[in-house]
Amino acid sequence: MFKEQSIGKVLTENDVTDENIFLNRRKMLKRMGFVGAGSLLATSQNANAISLFGKKKESFVTAPVAHTKNTEYQITETLTPESKVTTYNNFYEFGTSKSDPAENAQSLTVNPWEVKITGAVEKSFTLSYDDLYNMFDIEERIYRFRCVEAWSMVIPWLGFPLYKLIKKAKPLSKAKYVAFKTLYRPSEMPGQKSRFVGGGIDYPYVEGLRMDEAMHPLTLMSVGVYGKTLPPQNGAPIRLVVPWKYGFKSIKSVVEINFTEKEPPTTWNILAPQEYGFYANVNPAVSHPRWSQASERRITSGGLLTRNRIDTLPFNGYSEVASLYDGMNLRKYY
Ligand SMILES: Nc1nc2c(c(=O)[nH]1)N[C@H]1C(S)=C(S)[C@@H](COP(=O)(O)O)O[C@H]1N2
Ligand SMILES: [Mo]
């Protein structure tokens, strides 16, 4: 066991749990070519869930991902239970109600997968499915997550900071923005086949960040949640997480990261520009035209009647990003 650990990732005292040691061991075996991604142990709680009709329903199977806890991002607020994180979702490619993604996304094909890194860079390259878990060290970070609809969660993501990938790509000095694109695959995404199912969005879903936002250490490319690979409803196999911005910036199932000179178009801004801006920083002082953003409903383990209204914090509590917007009118650039 100790021999194996010394070949794999170095574990801190905090990380020495049975599960981590097991994962560390299998990562090492994987590196040595003894096991492929296909033989990852399945731990999905809902694998082979029985449907209402008593038939076995195909369910996506998630797998543990070797990781270490990043101690800088371990907030003390109560986690939103995994059962809610994976069943209360926005992913309009699979329908517009909160339960649609978990229902309709289970057969999404995520392996093979490619993420193209392209545009104004010295080094274009493509990440494969295996690269997502092996090119960078995978960390667990607990972040608050605030949807523009005024609900929020506390989520233990797995992933790597986007800046590591950007450094590898070596953007040219003319690269001022980073544009992201979601998979376009109508055969597996019913919302892309019908404007009625897909909420009127022109697919593929696109998002963007300014270069300094993309380089900020908080900006995460997530490949997992609750210790395991992402389920499709949460954006498998890789999605963006920008914790100080409204949730719609955190684009799911990313296939392209493109470095641009100009501010890229973004899906919700195209759909309703007076309601959703490019910046979309969480801001209790600036209301959405149809509702206040001063408070939010924190989704916890309690039922709908639980008292869980809390004040919304500027930048969702991540005040360290405020300096990115020095001198900017955040009412104009909402
Ligand atoms: N491709 C794509 N990405 C998306 C969305 C979407 O509909 N399509 N919804 C966004 C919104 S509005 C939110 S709140 C978050 C929800 O992420 P979660 O379901 O993992 O909590 O995903 C964001 N990313
Ligand atoms: Mo959202």
Side-chain angles (χ1 to χ4, degrees):
M1 190 167 69
F2 288 109
K3 230 190 235 161
E4 288 165 359
Q5 270 188 55
S6 65
I7 299 172
K9 183 176 292 195
V10 178
L11 297 175
T12 67
E13 200 173 356
N14 257 355
D15 297 311
V16 181
T17 64
D18 289 350
E19 195 195 13
N20 267 315
I21 288 174
F22 159 72
L23 294 171
N24 185 247
R25 177 168 168 272
R26 72 157 305 295
K27 190 175 184 186
M28 188 270 309
L29 290 171
K30 206 172 142 197
R31 277 194 189 139
M32 294 172 70
F34 290 133
V35 291
S39 65
L40 285 167
L41 184 75
T43 60
S44 173
Q45 294 169 330
N46 58 357
N48 300 314
I50 308 293
S51 79
L52 281 176
F53 304 101
K55 276 197 231 143
K56 282 207 168 176
K57 204 173 160 186
E58 273 289 328
S59 193
F60 188 90
V61 178
T62 56
V65 178
H67 63 272
T68 53
K69 291 183 194 303
N70 186 322
T71 49
E72 263 187 74
Y73 308 102
Q74 300 288 316
I75 58 180
T76 54
E77 288 155 64
T78 308
L79 295 183
T80 299
E82 183 177 7
S83 60
K84 301 223 166 149
V85 173
T86 59
T87 59
Y88 188 89
N89 301 102
N90 276 330
F91 200 168
Y92 278 23
E93 284 85 338
F94 296 101
T96 55
S97 40
K98 294 287 180 286
S99 55
D100 282 342
E103 253 208 10
N104 302 329
Q106 296 307 304
S107 51
L108 181 71
T109 308
V110 302
N111 186 8
W113 193 267
E114 285 192 343
V115 186
K116 288 199 164 63
I117 317 298
T118 177
V121 290
E122 265 178 48
K123 243 187 81 184
S124 286
F125 57 97
T126 300
L127 298 181
S128 71
Y129 180 81
D130 283 344
D131 289 338
L132 304 181
Y133 312 98
N134 295 312
M135 191 172 282
F136 306 103
D137 289 341
I138 303 298
E139 335 173 344
E140 181 178 76
R141 297 180 174 203
I142 300 174
Y143 282 163
R144 287 178 289 276
F145 187 86
R146 171 62 157 80
C147 176
V148 75
E149 299 161 341
W151 53 263
S152 66
M153 298 188 183
V154 178
I155 304 180
W157 300 110
L158 300 181
F160 55 86
L162 176 58
Y163 73 78
K164 288 191 178 176
L165 192 148
I166 295 178
K167 281 191 175 156
K168 231 178 141 66
K170 300 195 171 127
L172 306 175
S173 58
K174 66 179 182 186
K176 298 285 191 271
Y177 294 89
V178 187
F180 302 83
K181 196 184 281 180
T182 292
L183 177 71
Y184 183 71
R185 190 185 288 156
S187 61
E188 291 187 347
M189 295 175 146
Q192 292 180 340
K193 274 194 293 213
S194 144
R195 284 180 76 80
F196 180 72
V197 178
I201 289 175
D202 242 327
Y203 292 102
Y205 193 103
V206 288
E207 257 305 335
L209 295 172
R210 216 169 56 186
M211 184 62 86
D212 58 343
E213 298 176 323
M215 287 295 292
H216 195 279
L218 278 169
T219 303
L220 194 70
M221 293 309 300
S222 171
V223 297
V225 69
Y226 267 103
K228 291 159 285 181
T229 52
L230 285 175
Q233 59 269 35
N234 293 93
I238 184 166
R239 57 93 57 89
L240 179 67
V241 177
V242 192
W244 73 92
K245 292 179 179 284
Y246 292 123
F248 65 83
K249 297 295 291 182
S250 292
I251 180 173
K252 294 177 169 180
S253 304
V254 170
V255 294
E256 191 183 294
I257 301 178
N258 182 21
F259 294 77
T260 65
E261 293 176 57
K262 297 214 171 77
E263 186 184 289
T266 57
T267 285
W268 281 96
N269 182 250
I270 295 167
L271 204 64
Q274 64 297 340
E275 300 194 4
Y276 309 104
F278 175 81
Y279 283 92
N281 293 318
V282 175
N283 190 344
V286 176
S287 296
H288 183 277
R290 293 182 283 129
W291 59 83
S292 163
Q293 296 290 25
S295 71
E296 65 202 51
R297 178 171 61 91
R298 173 61 55 84
I299 297 180
T300 60
S301 55
L304 272 176
L305 298 177
T306 316
R307 267 175 211 271
N308 48 13
R309 225 346 90 200
I310 58 173
D311 286 345
T312 290
L313 301 170
F315 302 109
N316 204 21
Y318 298 98
S319 52
E320 63 263 50
V321 301
S323 60
L324 298 180
Y325 309 102
D326 276 348
M328 263 178 77
N329 179 350
L330 297 178
R331 258 171 211 287
K332 183 172 176 213
Y333 297 101
Y334 55 92

